[in-house]
Amino acid sequence: MKQDLIKEIQKLKKEKKAIVLVHNYQEPDIYEIADFLGDSLELARKCLSCEDAERIIFCGVDFMAESAVIINPEKKVYLPALEANCPMADMVDVEGLLELQKKHPGSATVCYVNSTAKIKAISDICCTSANAVRIVKSLDEKEIIFVPDRNLGLYVASEVKDKTIIPWDGYCYVHQKFKKEEVIKSRENHPDAEIIVHPECPPEVRELADHICSTSQMITAAKESLAEKFIVFTEIGMLHRLQLECPDKKFLSPAKICLQMKKNSLELVRDSLLKDQHLVTVPEDIAVKAKRALQRMLDCK
Ligand code: 13P
Ligand code: SF4
Protein backbone atom coordinates (compact mmCIF):
# COMPACT_ATOMS: atom_id res chain seq x y z
CA MET A 1 0.00 0.00 0.00
CA LYS A 2 2.68 2.49 1.09
CA GLN A 3 4.98 1.38 -1.72
CA ASP A 4 2.16 1.87 -4.27
CA LEU A 5 1.60 5.38 -2.96
CA ILE A 6 5.31 6.17 -3.17
CA LYS A 7 5.40 4.87 -6.77
CA GLU A 8 2.40 7.02 -7.67
CA ILE A 9 4.07 10.10 -6.11
CA GLN A 10 7.34 9.48 -7.97
CA LYS A 11 5.43 9.20 -11.26
CA LEU A 12 3.43 12.38 -10.59
CA LYS A 13 6.62 14.23 -9.62
CA LYS A 14 8.09 13.49 -13.04
CA GLU A 15 4.89 14.37 -14.93
CA LYS A 16 4.47 17.67 -13.09
CA LYS A 17 8.19 18.54 -12.99
CA ALA A 18 7.99 18.81 -9.22
CA ILE A 19 10.66 18.79 -6.54
CA VAL A 20 9.76 17.77 -2.97
CA LEU A 21 11.52 19.75 -0.24
CA VAL A 22 11.28 18.20 3.23
CA HIS A 23 12.07 19.64 6.64
CA ASN A 24 14.02 17.43 9.07
CA TYR A 25 11.03 17.16 11.46
CA GLN A 26 8.85 15.29 8.94
CA GLU A 27 7.96 11.60 9.32
CA PRO A 28 10.27 8.93 7.80
CA ASP A 29 7.53 8.11 5.23
CA ILE A 30 7.90 11.62 3.85
CA TYR A 31 11.71 11.32 3.83
CA GLU A 32 11.27 8.53 1.27
CA ILE A 33 9.83 10.87 -1.37
CA ALA A 34 12.16 13.81 -0.61
CA ASP A 35 14.39 15.32 -3.26
CA PHE A 36 16.05 17.37 -0.56
CA LEU A 37 16.00 17.20 3.24
CA GLY A 38 17.18 20.02 5.46
CA ASP A 39 16.79 22.79 8.02
CA SER A 40 15.11 26.13 7.23
CA LEU A 41 18.27 27.71 5.84
CA GLU A 42 19.20 24.79 3.59
CA LEU A 43 15.62 24.56 2.29
CA ALA A 44 15.53 28.30 1.54
CA ARG A 45 18.82 28.02 -0.37
CA LYS A 46 17.54 24.98 -2.29
CA CYS A 47 14.64 27.09 -3.62
CA LEU A 48 17.22 29.09 -5.58
CA SER A 49 18.89 26.10 -7.19
CA CYS A 50 16.09 23.94 -8.56
CA GLU A 51 16.17 25.26 -12.15
CA ASP A 52 14.61 22.16 -13.72
CA ALA A 53 11.56 22.10 -11.46
CA GLU A 54 8.35 23.90 -12.33
CA ARG A 55 6.81 23.40 -8.92
CA ILE A 56 7.95 22.92 -5.34
CA ILE A 57 6.00 20.69 -2.95
CA PHE A 58 6.91 21.88 0.53
CA CYS A 59 6.68 19.32 3.33
CA GLY A 60 7.17 21.59 6.29
CA VAL A 61 5.14 24.51 7.61
CA ASP A 62 3.59 27.61 6.06
CA PHE A 63 6.40 30.16 6.61
CA MET A 64 8.86 27.86 4.81
CA ALA A 65 6.58 27.58 1.76
CA GLU A 66 5.95 31.35 1.81
CA SER A 67 9.69 31.99 1.86
CA ALA A 68 10.04 29.69 -1.16
CA VAL A 69 7.45 31.78 -3.07
CA ILE A 70 9.21 35.01 -2.11
CA ILE A 71 12.71 33.78 -2.95
CA ASN A 72 11.73 32.18 -6.25
CA PRO A 73 8.46 33.66 -7.56
CA GLU A 74 8.87 31.80 -10.88
CA LYS A 75 8.03 28.47 -9.24
CA LYS A 76 4.60 27.33 -8.14
CA VAL A 77 4.85 26.35 -4.47
CA TYR A 78 2.38 23.97 -2.83
CA LEU A 79 1.78 23.09 0.82
CA PRO A 80 0.15 19.62 0.94
CA ALA A 81 -1.38 20.20 4.41
CA LEU A 82 -3.11 23.55 4.52
CA GLU A 83 -3.26 23.62 8.35
CA ALA A 84 0.51 23.16 8.73
CA ASN A 85 1.11 26.57 10.23
CA CYS A 86 3.79 27.54 12.75
CA PRO A 87 2.05 29.30 15.68
CA MET A 88 5.20 31.27 16.49
CA ALA A 89 4.99 33.07 13.15
CA ASP A 90 1.72 34.71 14.23
CA MET A 91 3.03 35.94 17.57
CA VAL A 92 4.26 39.25 16.19
CA ASP A 93 1.95 41.78 14.54
CA VAL A 94 2.79 44.56 12.10
CA GLU A 95 1.38 47.41 14.24
CA GLY A 96 3.27 46.27 17.34
CA LEU A 97 6.55 45.93 15.46
CA LEU A 98 6.18 49.33 13.77
CA GLU A 99 5.58 50.88 17.20
CA LEU A 100 8.69 49.24 18.63
CA GLN A 101 10.75 50.40 15.64
CA LYS A 102 9.52 53.96 16.25
CA LYS A 103 10.76 53.75 19.85
CA HIS A 104 14.23 52.63 18.65
CA PRO A 105 14.94 54.80 15.60
CA GLY A 106 18.60 53.80 15.13
CA SER A 107 17.99 50.07 15.45
CA ALA A 108 17.93 47.25 12.88
CA THR A 109 15.16 44.64 12.85
CA VAL A 110 16.23 41.03 12.50
CA CYS A 111 13.41 38.68 11.68
CA TYR A 112 13.59 34.94 12.33
CA VAL A 113 12.27 33.15 9.22
CA ASN A 114 9.53 31.64 11.42
CA SER A 115 7.43 34.73 10.69
CA THR A 116 4.82 35.98 8.24
CA ALA A 117 5.69 37.65 4.93
CA LYS A 118 4.22 40.93 6.25
CA ILE A 119 6.71 40.95 9.14
CA LYS A 120 9.61 40.10 6.82
CA ALA A 121 8.50 43.02 4.63
CA ILE A 122 9.13 45.53 7.46
CA SER A 123 12.37 43.91 8.68
CA ASP A 124 15.93 44.73 7.64
CA ILE A 125 17.21 41.18 7.39
CA CYS A 126 16.06 37.61 8.11
CA CYS A 127 17.89 34.86 9.95
CA THR A 128 17.42 31.20 10.78
CA SER A 129 18.56 29.29 13.83
CA ALA A 130 21.67 28.25 11.85
CA ASN A 131 22.93 31.78 11.17
CA ALA A 132 21.25 34.12 13.72
CA VAL A 133 24.48 34.94 15.57
CA ARG A 134 26.43 35.54 12.35
CA ILE A 135 23.66 37.73 10.88
CA VAL A 136 23.44 39.94 13.97
CA LYS A 137 27.26 40.26 14.13
CA SER A 138 27.30 41.36 10.47
CA LEU A 139 25.15 44.44 11.14
CA ASP A 140 26.50 47.95 11.81
CA GLU A 141 23.65 48.89 14.14
CA LYS A 142 24.28 48.47 17.86
CA GLU A 143 20.62 48.10 18.79
CA ILE A 144 18.80 45.09 17.34
CA ILE A 145 15.07 44.37 17.50
CA PHE A 146 14.74 40.59 17.24
CA VAL A 147 11.37 39.03 16.27
CA PRO A 148 9.47 36.85 17.00
CA ASP A 149 11.39 34.25 19.10
CA ARG A 150 12.55 35.58 22.47
CA ASN A 151 14.61 32.45 23.21
CA LEU A 152 16.60 32.69 19.97
CA GLY A 153 16.94 36.44 20.61
CA LEU A 154 18.31 35.77 24.11
CA TYR A 155 20.72 33.19 22.70
CA VAL A 156 22.00 35.76 20.20
CA ALA A 157 22.36 38.30 23.05
CA SER A 158 24.50 35.82 24.99
CA GLU A 159 26.83 35.41 21.98
CA VAL A 160 26.96 39.03 20.74
CA LYS A 161 27.97 41.09 23.76
CA ASP A 162 28.66 44.39 21.99
CA LYS A 163 25.05 44.87 20.83
CA THR A 164 21.80 45.42 22.67
CA ILE A 165 19.20 42.86 21.63
CA ILE A 166 15.54 43.75 22.12
CA PRO A 167 13.71 40.41 21.86
CA TRP A 168 10.03 40.16 20.96
CA ASP A 169 8.06 37.95 23.36
CA GLY A 170 7.17 35.09 20.98
CA TYR A 171 8.13 31.47 21.50
CA CYS A 172 7.82 27.98 20.06
CA TYR A 173 5.26 26.03 22.07
CA VAL A 174 7.20 22.81 21.44
CA HIS A 175 10.67 23.94 22.56
CA GLN A 176 9.22 26.02 25.40
CA LYS A 177 8.09 22.75 27.03
CA PHE A 178 11.66 21.54 27.66
CA LYS A 179 12.66 21.95 31.30
CA LYS A 180 16.04 22.42 32.96
CA GLU A 181 15.20 19.42 35.21
CA GLU A 182 14.99 17.22 32.08
CA VAL A 183 18.55 18.15 31.16
CA ILE A 184 19.77 17.49 34.72
CA LYS A 185 18.00 14.10 34.80
CA SER A 186 19.37 13.21 31.35
CA ARG A 187 22.92 13.90 32.58
CA GLU A 188 22.33 11.75 35.70
CA ASN A 189 20.81 8.85 33.75
CA HIS A 190 23.24 9.02 30.80
CA PRO A 191 26.59 10.38 32.02
CA ASP A 192 28.23 9.19 28.78
CA ALA A 193 25.84 11.20 26.55
CA GLU A 194 26.21 14.70 25.13
CA ILE A 195 23.29 17.14 25.23
CA ILE A 196 22.23 18.82 21.97
CA VAL A 197 19.76 21.70 22.20
CA HIS A 198 17.91 23.84 19.64
CA PRO A 199 18.21 27.59 20.37
CA GLU A 200 14.40 27.90 20.52
CA CYS A 201 14.67 26.22 23.96
CA PRO A 202 14.46 28.42 27.09
CA PRO A 203 17.80 29.92 28.30
CA GLU A 204 17.99 27.70 31.42
CA VAL A 205 17.87 24.60 29.16
CA ARG A 206 20.26 26.01 26.57
CA GLU A 207 22.81 27.01 29.22
CA LEU A 208 23.25 23.36 30.28
CA ALA A 209 23.87 22.04 26.75
CA ASP A 210 27.04 20.73 25.09
CA HIS A 211 25.89 21.83 21.62
CA ILE A 212 23.43 24.58 20.55
CA CYS A 213 22.44 23.98 16.94
CA SER A 214 19.92 24.31 14.16
CA THR A 215 18.42 20.96 13.20
CA SER A 216 20.92 20.23 10.40
CA GLN A 217 23.86 21.48 12.48
CA MET A 218 22.90 18.75 14.97
CA ILE A 219 23.96 16.17 12.38
CA THR A 220 27.43 17.71 12.04
CA ALA A 221 27.76 18.01 15.83
CA ALA A 222 26.90 14.31 16.28
CA LYS A 223 29.18 13.18 13.43
CA GLU A 224 32.16 15.19 14.66
CA SER A 225 31.79 14.22 18.32
CA LEU A 226 33.58 11.24 19.82
CA ALA A 227 30.49 10.54 21.94
CA GLU A 228 28.24 7.66 20.93
CA LYS A 229 25.10 8.76 22.71
CA PHE A 230 23.19 12.06 22.53
CA ILE A 231 20.11 13.47 24.26
CA VAL A 232 18.42 15.80 21.80
CA PHE A 233 16.25 18.71 22.93
CA THR A 234 14.20 19.50 19.84
CA GLU A 235 11.11 18.21 18.04
CA ILE A 236 11.01 14.39 18.13
CA GLY A 237 11.11 14.01 14.31
CA MET A 238 14.75 15.09 14.32
CA LEU A 239 15.70 11.72 15.82
CA HIS A 240 14.83 9.99 12.50
CA ARG A 241 17.22 12.23 10.58
CA LEU A 242 20.00 11.87 13.14
CA GLN A 243 19.63 8.09 13.18
CA LEU A 244 19.66 8.00 9.38
CA GLU A 245 22.86 10.06 9.19
CA CYS A 246 24.63 8.41 12.14
CA PRO A 247 23.40 4.79 12.21
CA ASP A 248 26.08 3.71 14.69
CA LYS A 249 25.24 6.34 17.31
CA LYS A 250 22.34 6.43 19.75
CA PHE A 251 19.87 9.33 20.03
CA LEU A 252 17.31 9.89 22.78
CA SER A 253 14.91 12.75 23.43
CA PRO A 254 12.31 13.86 25.98
CA ALA A 255 9.70 13.48 23.24
CA LYS A 256 7.97 16.74 22.27
CA ILE A 257 5.86 16.90 19.12
CA CYS A 258 5.08 19.75 16.74
CA LEU A 259 1.54 18.90 15.67
CA GLN A 260 1.68 21.29 12.73
CA MET A 261 4.78 19.61 11.26
CA LYS A 262 2.97 16.27 11.51
CA LYS A 263 -0.02 17.37 9.38
CA ASN A 264 1.68 16.18 6.20
CA SER A 265 1.22 12.65 4.89
CA LEU A 266 2.00 10.67 1.75
CA GLU A 267 -1.71 10.83 0.81
CA LEU A 268 -1.69 14.63 1.04
CA VAL A 269 1.49 14.86 -1.05
CA ARG A 270 -0.14 12.64 -3.70
CA ASP A 271 -3.30 14.80 -3.62
CA SER A 272 -1.22 17.95 -3.81
CA LEU A 273 0.43 16.72 -7.01
CA LEU A 274 -2.75 15.26 -8.49
CA LYS A 275 -5.14 18.11 -7.69
CA ASP A 276 -2.69 21.05 -7.66
CA GLN A 277 -3.40 21.82 -4.02
CA HIS A 278 -2.68 24.01 -2.00
CA LEU A 279 -1.01 26.77 -3.98
CA VAL A 280 0.83 29.22 -1.70
CA THR A 281 0.68 32.88 -2.70
CA VAL A 282 2.06 36.12 -1.29
CA PRO A 283 0.72 39.52 -2.47
CA GLU A 284 3.31 41.04 -4.80
CA ASP A 285 3.86 44.31 -2.90
CA ILE A 286 4.62 42.36 0.29
CA ALA A 287 6.71 39.73 -1.51
CA VAL A 288 8.96 42.36 -3.08
CA LYS A 289 9.70 43.97 0.30
CA ALA A 290 10.06 40.62 2.12
CA LYS A 291 12.51 39.43 -0.53
CA ARG A 292 14.94 42.20 0.39
CA ALA A 293 15.23 40.84 3.95
CA LEU A 294 15.48 37.21 2.83
CA GLN A 295 17.95 37.91 0.01
CA ARG A 296 20.13 39.97 2.35
CA MET A 297 20.30 36.95 4.66
CA LEU A 298 21.15 34.58 1.79
CA ASP A 299 23.87 36.96 0.56
CA CYS A 300 25.45 37.30 4.02
CA LYS A 301 28.65 35.22 4.04
P1 13P B 1 15.65 24.70 11.84
O1 13P B 1 15.86 25.82 10.90
O2 13P B 1 16.76 24.57 12.86
O3 13P B 1 15.42 23.42 11.13
O4 13P B 1 14.38 25.01 12.74
C1 13P B 1 13.11 25.22 12.24
C2 13P B 1 12.09 25.12 13.27
O5 13P B 1 10.94 25.36 13.03
C3 13P B 1 12.50 24.72 14.60
O6 13P B 1 11.40 24.57 15.42
FE1 SF4 C 1 6.98 26.34 14.71
FE2 SF4 C 1 7.94 25.23 16.91
FE3 SF4 C 1 6.74 23.71 15.10
FE4 SF4 C 1 9.18 24.80 14.62
S1 SF4 C 1 8.65 23.26 16.16
S2 SF4 C 1 7.43 24.75 13.22
S3 SF4 C 1 8.95 26.78 15.66
S4 SF4 C 1 5.78 25.35 16.32
Side-chain angles (χ1 to χ4, degrees):
M1 177 81 175
K2 182 180 126 187
Q3 284 316 319
D4 290 346
L5 200 48
I6 290 177
K7 256 193 213 154
E8 191 181 355
I9 290 170
Q10 300 296 17
K11 187 165 162 273
L12 284 165
K13 268 166 60 175
K14 265 197 202 133
E15 280 171 23
K16 304 252 175 164
K17 294 203 168 89
I19 182 171
V20 180
L21 302 188
V22 174
H23 186 264
N24 291 324
Y25 289 163
Q26 296 288 296
E27 294 286 351
D29 277 2
I30 307 277
Y31 282 16
E32 292 189 44
I33 46 122
D35 291 291
F36 186 79
L37 260 169
D39 68 6
S40 309
L41 184 61
E42 292 169 330
L43 293 169
R45 287 200 188 285
K46 192 66 195 170
C47 296
L48 281 175
S49 62
C50 49
E51 298 82 10
D52 297 340
E54 281 176 12
R55 65 174 73 192
I56 296 172
I57 309 292
F58 222 112
C59 297
V61 285
D62 54 355
F63 73 83
M64 298 176 177
E66 263 188 14
S67 294
V69 175
I70 295 165
I71 291 168
N72 200 339
E74 319 226 299
K75 310 284 176 202
K76 286 193 161 145
V77 181
Y78 296 86
L79 196 59
L82 202 53
E83 330 73 66
N85 54 349
C86 168
M88 192 212 284
D90 292 320
M91 288 185 187
V92 52
D93 61 297
V94 169
E95 292 70 30
L97 178 54
L98 288 174
E99 214 170 284
L100 190 61
Q101 288 170 334
K102 234 191 237 165
K103 279 192 200 152
H104 300 274
S107 66
T109 300
V110 177
C111 170
Y112 189 27
V113 286
N114 300 41
S115 54
T116 61
K118 280 187 183 168
I119 291 295
K120 290 182 177 80
I122 56 164
S123 297
D124 294 294
I125 187 164
C126 290
C127 75
T128 74
S129 62
N131 63 13
V133 171
R134 186 161 53 80
I135 294 288
V136 170
K137 280 186 179 168
S138 77
L139 300 172
D140 292 334
E141 290 85 351
K142 290 286 175 213
E143 220 179 12
I144 308 294
I145 295 173
F146 193 97
V147 295
D149 187 15
R150 66 168 178 243
N151 290 335
L152 183 60
L154 291 171
Y155 169 54
V156 170
S158 73
E159 294 290 309
V160 190
K161 297 278 200 280
D162 63 334
K163 295 188 195 280
T164 304
I165 310 293
I166 305 158
W168 193 264
D169 200 24
Y171 61 92
C172 162
Y173 80 97
V174 183
H175 289 84
Q176 192 60 34
K177 285 182 190 154
F178 289 114
K179 298 280 171 263
K180 171 182 162 186
E181 291 69 30
E182 287 173 312
V183 185
I184 296 169
K185 261 247 142 15
S186 298
R187 288 240 188 252
E188 277 169 18
N189 293 343
H190 306 278
D192 53 335
E194 287 184 356
I195 307 278
I196 307 183
V197 159
H198 194 278
E200 287 176 12
C201 288
E204 63 276 14
V205 169
R206 179 203 356 112
E207 281 158 12
L208 296 176
D210 296 305
H211 308 273
I212 302 157
C213 312
S214 81
T215 57
S216 286
Q217 288 170 343
M218 291 179 182
I219 301 164
T220 315
K223 281 186 178 167
E224 288 179 354
S225 168
L226 293 178
E228 285 175 3
K229 197 197 276 182
F230 300 86
I231 321 288
V232 187
F233 286 71
T234 195
E235 207 273 339
I236 186 76
M238 190 60 209
L239 292 199
H240 306 306
R241 181 80 205 273
L242 285 163
Q243 208 60 75
L244 194 70
E245 299 290 337
C246 310
D248 299 331
K249 300 201 175 195
K250 190 167 181 184
F251 299 95
L252 304 166
S253 176
K256 312 277 190 252
I257 294 179
C258 174
L259 296 173
Q260 289 73 13
M261 279 279 182
K262 303 298 188 244
K263 300 268 180 195
N264 279 312
S265 65
L266 288 176
E267 285 79 5
L268 286 177
V269 173
R270 187 261 324 271
D271 289 352
S272 176
L273 284 158
L274 203 57
K275 303 176 192 167
D276 304 333
Q277 62 191 29
H278 308 93
L279 183 66
V280 180
T281 56
V282 179
E284 207 189 326
D285 54 331
I286 292 170
V288 168
K289 289 183 192 150
K291 190 172 181 174
R292 285 202 298 250
L294 273 168
Q295 194 62 52
R296 194 171 165 199
M297 169 186 84
L298 294 171
D299 291 343
C300 184
K301 298 288 167 235

